[in-house]
Structures are given as structure tokens and as C-alpha cells.
Amino acid sequence: MNKPILNIVIPCYNEEEVLPITSKLFLDKIYELIKIGYIDDKSRVLFVNDGSKDKTWDIIKQLSKEDEHYQGICQSRNRGHQNAVLAGMMYSIDKCDMIISIDCDGQDDINAMNEMIEEYQNGCEIVYGVRSKRDTDTVFKRATAQGFYKFLKWMGVETVYNHADYRLVSNRVLKEFKNFKEVNIFLRGMFPLVGFKSTSVFYERNERIAGDSHYPLSKMLALAIDGITSLSIKPIRLITSLGMFVSIISFIGVIWTLIVHFIGNGVAGWASMTSIICFLGGVQLISVGILGEYIGKIYMEVKARPRYIISETTEEDK
């Protein structure tokens, strides 16, 4: 039986500090998996340069010259983490039997790859890497991250709890995933939609080896908004429900006003009127904002612009 070919897909954005350290770890893992017979020698470590402004691409090109198991592709500009992972996956479709996507910072336990491949050999097409605990996070980071997953679930987005983008995906799934054409992508919510047999592998996450995190709270919020508006229409339904509730309250208020008027106890109430106007104005602005977010997504989808553009590869230099 032929051994499967693996591509480890690693998105990189301004990683010149950490890349020289973690690249060696990824290469050692490839050689280890080859030695124990889990994968074929044609397996590769594929770095995806996401328009870095530092020396990341220069480092990737140098690594590819030092060992054939290193490969790299360079996007024409920065398109974001999700698009970088997508570019690496699509580039790998005709080159391997499975991919494992993982971040460059060394926080995800690469030893979990062994168990992922074992699950693949047992028939699983998608294997999610899931954090077993968050002891290394600050209280604020832990609370916001856990709240992020719970909020997504409440809003109707199907995700794997405490799973980011560390996962094994078979070539069969990649070919089906290629049919998903949306421009606004949220990978951790899209792969559960593909289906096929899947499972989870649990691991402990480490501290970042070097450099700074590229996912502050602002990007987490942006990712949550993208995930919700790309995969769920629940916010629009909540607007409808809120509109019905406000209409009922307003109808009751009208009846109460008429009763007071005919009884003859009507008193001009500026405070109550102002409160009602402000409340309804706030509801309308929030509703328009949510609808605008969806309209913006439709606008981008209709344009159907490329989700990534590969400007250069290390294979061109060989």
C-alpha cells in the first residue's frame, strides 16, 4: 500500500523572528513521520507568505534551497490568515493526499499530527485539533475566546469548540471544498458544512515561541462578525423578532395613551416621549447596521474577486 503524501500548510505574515526556529521543528516532524512509515518522502512543509513586509519570504526561499522538503508560495499582497490557509490548501490539491494546516508561531503541539494521521488511516477525512485547556491564556483572553465560540454557536454558526485552524483535511474533502465559491470565508465554520467522517484530537497549546501575536481582540471581533454574517442569517431573524416586540409594545402604548386621553388625565410628558424616540432610533440604527453588514457581504460576493493571487513560488527557483 502506498504511503500518503502530506503537505503541512503554514500561513506566514511578518514571521521573521519565529520562522527560523519553528521551520526546523516542522522539518523534523516531516522526517519523523517519514521514518516511522506514516507518510511518503514526497511530503512537504508548505509556507504561505501572506504579503509580509519583513524578510519572511526571503527566509522561506532560503529554506527551500537548503532542503527539498521545504516549499513556499507568495501571495501578491496581504489577504488575511483565512485566505492564506485557503491558498495553501488549493495549491496542494494535486500534490498530496492530505494537508495539515497549522500556525507558524509554534503554539500548536506538532506532536498531535501523529494522532491526526492515525485517525486519517482509520478512515477520518477531517481531523480537528482541539485545545484541551487554556491555562496559558490570560483571564481576559480565555474569557473572550470562550465567549467567541459560545456566541458563534448561539448565532447559529456550526463550529468545533476550542478549535481554530489546526486540522487535517483529506484530498477528497479539499476537492469538494473547492466548490465553495464564497469570497468571505470562515474556514472553521465551513469545514463542518462539507460533511464526511470527522473526529477531534486534543492537545495542549504552548506559549508563542517568538514575535507578537497577529490576532488581537479587534481581529477576533472582525473574525466573529465574518463568521456570523457568512454562515448565519440569525441576526436578521433577531431584528424581525425585535421589530415585532417593539410593535407590540408600541401598540399597547397607543391604547394606553387613548385611554388616558379620554379619561382626561393626559399630561404632557417630555421625558417619556424623548425616551421612546431615543429607544426606537437606537433600534433602527442597530438594525440598519446589521442589514448593511449583510448587504456589504452580498456586494463582495457579487464581485466574485479572486480570494488569493499567488505571485511567486519557490518551485520557480529550482
Side-chain angles (χ1 to χ4, degrees):
M1 181 179 179
N2 295 330
K3 298 173 185 176
I5 299 173
L6 167 69
N7 268 16
I8 301 178
V9 176
I10 308 166
C12 304
Y13 178 67
N14 293 343
E15 300 288 6
E16 65 177 1
E17 291 184 45
V18 72
L19 189 55
I21 303 172
T22 55
S23 60
K24 181 67 164 56
L25 300 177
F26 294 127
L27 184 63
D28 288 344
K29 174 53 66 173
I30 282 284
Y31 277 120
E32 175 196 325
L33 293 171
I34 292 173
K35 184 177 180 180
I36 62 179
Y38 275 27
I39 59 176
D40 192 272
D41 185 62
K42 295 179 183 177
S43 299
R44 298 290 183 263
V45 178
L46 177 63
F47 295 108
V48 183
N49 178 43
D50 187 25
S52 299
K53 298 177 182 179
D54 59 7
K55 297 179 180 179
T56 296
W57 181 236
D58 293 331
I59 295 172
I60 293 172
K61 289 193 291 185
Q62 182 59 39
L63 289 171
S64 69
K65 293 177 182 178
E66 296 174 358
D67 194 297
E68 63 177 359
H69 291 92
Y70 285 126
Q71 279 188 345
I73 59 176
C74 182
Q75 296 210 89
S76 60
R77 60 179 293 271
N78 177 252
R79 298 299 297 270
H81 179 274
Q82 299 290 281
N83 293 80
V85 176
L86 177 68
M89 292 192 302
M90 295 300 101
Y91 183 80
S92 300
I93 281 185
D94 299 322
K95 302 176 183 297
C96 65
D97 300 298
M98 57 183 171
I99 66 99
I100 294 179
S101 59
I102 186 172
D103 287 341
C104 184
D105 54 22
Q107 289 187 279
D108 296 318
D109 183 10
I110 61 173
N111 292 318
M113 292 184 185
N114 296 52
E115 190 175 348
M116 287 182 171
I117 296 174
E118 289 172 2
E119 294 293 350
Y120 168 81
Q121 293 170 339
N122 291 332
C124 289
E125 304 282 356
I126 306 175
V127 185
Y128 300 102
V130 179
R131 293 183 64 172
S132 57
K133 55 184 179 180
R134 288 184 170 270
D135 293 347
T136 58
D137 290 346
T138 62
V139 175
F140 178 76
K141 174 67 174 178
R142 188 183 308 121
T144 53
Q146 292 177 341
F148 169 77
Y149 289 103
K150 291 177 181 178
F151 184 65
L152 286 177
K153 182 178 180 181
W154 183 71
M155 295 303 293
V157 180
E158 184 181 355
T159 59
V160 177
Y161 188 71
N162 271 341
H163 162 71
D165 287 293
Y166 185 20
R167 70 178 74 85
L168 179 149
V169 182
S170 71
N171 185 265
R172 181 185 181 190
V173 172
L174 287 180
K175 288 179 178 178
E176 295 298 331
F177 190 79
K178 190 176 182 181
N179 296 322
F180 285 61
K181 301 298 185 180
E182 55 257 50
V183 174
N184 302 283
I185 58 175
F186 182 66
L187 297 177
R188 65 188 76 175
M190 292 170 68
F191 273 107
L193 299 178
V194 181
F196 294 103
K197 184 178 179 181
S198 65
T199 189
S200 297
V201 167
F202 296 89
Y203 69 95
E204 293 185 20
R205 205 161 192 244
N206 306 310
E207 295 283 354
R208 185 180 175 91
I209 292 179
D212 299 319
S213 172
H214 300 304
Y215 255 93
L217 179 60
S218 59
K219 284 194 174 182
M220 285 290 290
L221 290 174
L223 187 65
I225 292 172
D226 282 341
I228 293 166
T229 54
S230 297
L231 297 168
S232 172
I233 60 169
K234 189 171 182 179
I236 296 179
R237 290 175 176 170
L238 288 175
I239 289 176
T240 303
S241 300
L242 179 61
M244 293 177 64
F245 174 75
V246 172
S247 297
I248 292 171
I249 297 298
S250 299
F251 181 71
I252 294 173
V254 170
I255 294 175
W256 175 80
T257 302
L258 291 174
I259 293 173
V260 170
H261 173 74
F262 286 114
I263 292 176
N265 294 328
V267 178
W270 289 101
S272 59
M273 183 178 295
T274 302
S275 299
I276 292 172
I277 292 173
C278 290
F279 173 71
L280 292 177
V283 170
Q284 289 174 341
L285 288 174
I286 292 173
S287 301
V288 170
I290 294 175
L291 291 173
E293 187 69 30
Y294 276 94
I295 293 171
K297 288 289 190 298
I298 296 170
Y299 175 69
M300 295 305 296
E301 293 293 339
V302 170
K303 285 175 176 291
R305 290 173 175 167
R307 295 175 292 182
Y308 59 88
I309 299 174
I310 298 174
S311 61
E312 188 178 352
T313 72
T314 55
E315 289 186 304
E316 296 172 359
D317 300 329
K318 295 180 180 179

